[in-house]
Amino acid sequence: MNYHAHTEEDLIFISKDFLNLFDEHRVFAFKGEMGAGKTTFISYLAKAMGIVDAVSSPTYGYVNEYESPYYETVYHFDLYRVESEDEAYDIGIEEYIYGESIVFIEWAENIANLLPEDCVWVNITKDDQEGRVIEVDI
């Protein structure tokens, strides 16, 4: 499934459609170069989930926790600085990705071998017109 976002307003509609995946999936792995829009898209997903807290990348703390009135606790990881799967184990990643909560993971390719089989991969790239292409691989 592919989405094209030419404006941030497009992300409102895309994120609402994306929520349908939550019925069957809990772990979402985000890939894309620096500045591609991973955190921006996750912030729109959070808004669509009813989360009122400001969403930011948890680069230095690895994980941010948010409460959704519809989806309970949501975890947002940024694994840019994780250099090995052992390091991910040290921060307790398996408790999150094999739990019941929704988990968004930026730079998930750094721990690809640890992710559950039903993980949804989301690749975000810039298009030729300053928009974004969001490719969802289920």
Side-chain angles (χ1 to χ4, degrees):
M1 165 177 11
N2 289 343
Y3 299 103
H4 297 274
H6 298 287
T7 66
E8 286 194 35
E9 186 175 295
D10 292 339
L11 292 174
I12 295 169
F13 300 107
I14 294 168
S15 60
K16 287 180 181 177
D17 188 62
F18 195 92
L19 293 182
N20 294 323
L21 297 175
F22 294 173
D23 289 338
E24 298 178 26
H25 303 279
R26 292 280 180 242
V27 179
F28 299 85
F30 291 80
K31 290 175 36 178
E33 65 184 33
M34 188 76 69
K38 297 179 295 295
T39 302
T40 299
F41 184 46
I42 290 171
S43 71
Y44 277 89
L45 289 171
K47 288 176 190 174
M49 297 169 76
I51 295 170
V52 296
D53 296 329
V55 173
S56 62
S57 182
T59 301
Y60 296 103
Y62 294 115
V63 64
N64 286 340
E65 180 178 321
Y66 303 105
E67 291 299 322
S68 165
Y70 314 113
Y71 299 94
E72 298 177 6
T73 305
V74 176
Y75 296 100
H76 174 198
F77 282 86
D78 184 325
L79 301 181
Y80 178 74
R81 297 183 306 119
V82 170
E83 296 180 6
S84 71
E85 292 174 357
D86 288 336
E87 196 175 338
Y89 277 121
D90 289 345
I91 63 173
I93 193 79
E94 71 277 5
E95 293 176 30
Y96 296 95
I97 61 177
Y98 291 100
E100 297 296 318
S101 297
I102 302 238
V103 180
F104 299 132
I105 305 171
E106 294 186 47
W107 302 100
E109 60 271 27
N110 292 348
I111 63 159
N113 293 327
L114 303 180
L115 297 174
E117 288 184 23
D118 65 345
C119 176
V120 175
W121 284 90
V122 182
N123 188 43
I124 302 177
T125 56
K126 296 178 183 179
D127 68 15
D128 293 340
Q129 296 141 9
E130 295 302 315
R132 302 294 187 265
V133 177
I134 302 168
E135 300 170 88
V136 180
D137 185 15
I138 300 173

